[in-house]
Amino acid sequence: MNNNSKVLALKYRPQIFEDLIGQDVVSETIKNSIKADKIPNAYLFTGIRGIGKTTIARIVAKSINCSKPLDNQCKIKCKNCDAITNSNHIDVLEMDAASKTGVDDVRDLIEFSRYGPTIAKYKIFIIDEVHMLSKQAFNALLKTLEEPPEYLKFIFATTEIKKIPITVVSRCQRFDLSRIKSSELFEFIKKIKDKENGKASDEALRLIVKISEGSVRDALSLLDRALLSLDKGAELDLKAAQKIFGYFDKSQLIDLFKLIFEGNEKKVISIYRKIYDQGVEPKIFINDFLEILYYLKNINSLSLESTNFSLNDDEFRKIKEISNVLESQTLILFWQFTIKTLEELDIVSNQNLSIEMFLTRLIHLSSLNLKDNFEKEIKIDNPIENKETNISSKMINQIKNVSQEEKNKPEVQTEIKANKNFIIKSFNDLIEICSNKKEIKLKYELEKNVHLVKFENNRIEISFNESLNKNFVKELSSKLFEWTNERWIITFSKSKGARSIKDQQKKIKEKLINDSKNSEIYKDMINNFPDAELINVQSKDKGDDHD
């Protein structure tokens, strides 16, 4: 393949240790071990995507099999290094563990390892995404990994180190590759841009660095995409980059914050709609909104360099001016509301409308005097039934804890407890209160997955099926204490217990249907309408369906 036709991420893939960026400590350690002829049985490289795990694995393979001394670093190419670079060396086997996860694959690997190298000094197995191997496959590998033949070396790469058994990790020399620093990545892609004769402003390159989140491969792929999307000779500026990548100018978001605190709802919605029209997804908007909130809260402890290219000089100054007139508790409350909205986006069909309502709520929230309205918020009757008020009250309570205000009066707490006292004497009472309090999930678990063994004063003994939610006991205990102001004991029994409510209802329904099928009315109906089928029976006494 012509080198010029390759994508940038492959074209500029490091071939020697000196080409690597951001991994100086790892490179130096490996080079020293090779020089001292203390090469470990197995290397394990871990870190996020696109920071050089597989690349370093190949460089290590080349370094220990190079026909030239290590210091030469194959500036004069040798056959071994060229073959490894092209992934066709007979003694260096690259394997993707995602497609070969079974114990049989590892057994084949071990069997293949019995034969020494053909043309190189070492036979090397490079296993990418090694965490995808099965437990049995790892176990089959252990003995060979601990005491391999002198000519055999393993190199593992993974993005999820926690999924690898500790018995495997302990047999490897582990290297944790770090994210690439923004300044280093910026200088790197700037050099690549110049080599490719591309035109891009520093602001556009900084945006690419921010989006890539420390991944070199992501940065090069984004740069490649950006340069290809422009006409020949055109320069990639910040506005063009924002349009290509679906990001928007942070100054618009900062202006949006100012208008929220000024209470200008019309302009706030207008600015948001302009942002949305630029192609920005609601989730991206919310995440950037959270980022600005973080800067507003912590700007006085940050420098312009520490914002990871997220802000320019003017934006940094604007945020500092706004933060000086805001209280920390207001920003923390905004953070809580924003996180809640991020969760809501997964359950609404039109996310755009949800964002507009979120911004409107923030405008009204910013106009509240939290200290004056605190007691009013917590004294509202039936706060559980009023979900919006309950959320607001909960968040304000959190803010009070942060600011260490001592306004939690005993009489207020007593009043809340009095409102929550309920008497629960039976299992049916418990289900009824769950229904009244809109605890639908808890009611479902009680009716569907719980088998009652015994119900007595403040004590419930149950058995359950495998579908029961693992947090059921914790949630039920919390709600019982909240409703009755008393501690309840919930125990599991080895006894089978009564049928679940749903099973009982199903049994009753089946009996009614069977009884009805024996009636003269049903027989006459079938004679007249042979294709008819009885699917439900309604009780005249209760007036409801037995579902």
Side-chain angles (χ1 to χ4, degrees), residues 120-262:
K121 183 178 180 181
Y122 293 101
K123 178 170 281 190
I124 301 172
F125 294 148
I126 300 175
I127 305 180
D128 207 2
E129 299 302 333
V130 69
H131 64 272
M132 298 292 287
L133 289 177
S134 66
K135 184 178 179 180
Q136 292 78 9
F138 275 123
N139 290 336
L141 195 61
L142 285 178
K143 186 62 179 175
T144 307
L145 195 61
E146 186 171 14
E147 297 179 354
E150 289 185 2
Y151 56 78
L152 182 63
K153 302 297 177 185
F154 291 92
I155 306 177
F156 300 140
T158 180
T159 52
E160 299 187 51
I161 187 69
K162 291 182 179 179
K163 290 186 178 180
I164 300 177
I166 191 65
T167 50
V168 173
V169 176
S170 66
R171 287 168 166 81
C172 305
Q173 192 171 95
R174 173 177 168 177
F175 292 93
D176 291 80
L177 307 187
S178 58
R179 292 176 186 268
I180 311 303
K181 292 180 181 179
S182 297
S183 55
E184 287 184 279
L185 192 51
F186 172 74
E187 292 299 329
F188 177 71
I189 64 171
K190 192 173 183 179
K191 288 178 183 177
I192 300 301
K193 179 260 299 181
D194 293 338
K195 287 181 180 179
E196 293 293 310
N197 297 320
K199 294 182 179 179
S201 67
D202 287 354
E203 289 75 15
L205 295 180
R206 287 191 175 97
L207 179 62
I208 290 174
V209 170
K210 177 187 179 302
I211 298 171
S212 64
E213 297 178 335
S215 168
V216 183
R217 182 172 61 233
D218 286 8
L220 288 174
S221 297
L222 290 168
L223 178 63
D224 206 356
R225 173 182 160 194
L227 295 178
L228 290 171
S229 65
L230 296 174
D231 295 331
K232 193 172 183 180
E235 183 184 38
L236 178 72
D237 58 14
L238 181 59
K239 286 188 176 180
Q242 287 170 344
K243 188 174 181 181
I244 292 168
F245 303 130
Y247 273 72
F248 60 96
D249 190 353
K250 286 288 190 301
S251 62
Q252 289 179 284
L253 201 50
I254 298 169
D255 292 339
L256 193 72
F257 266 96
K258 287 181 69 176
L259 293 169
I260 285 173
F261 289 108
E262 290 171 5

Side-chain angles (χ1 to χ4, degrees), residues 497-510:
R499 289 176 179 271
S500 68
I501 301 294
K502 289 290 184 184
D503 285 344
Q504 292 177 26
Q505 291 174 350
K506 184 179 179 182
K507 200 74 176 176
I508 292 170
K509 180 179 176 180
E510 288 175 354

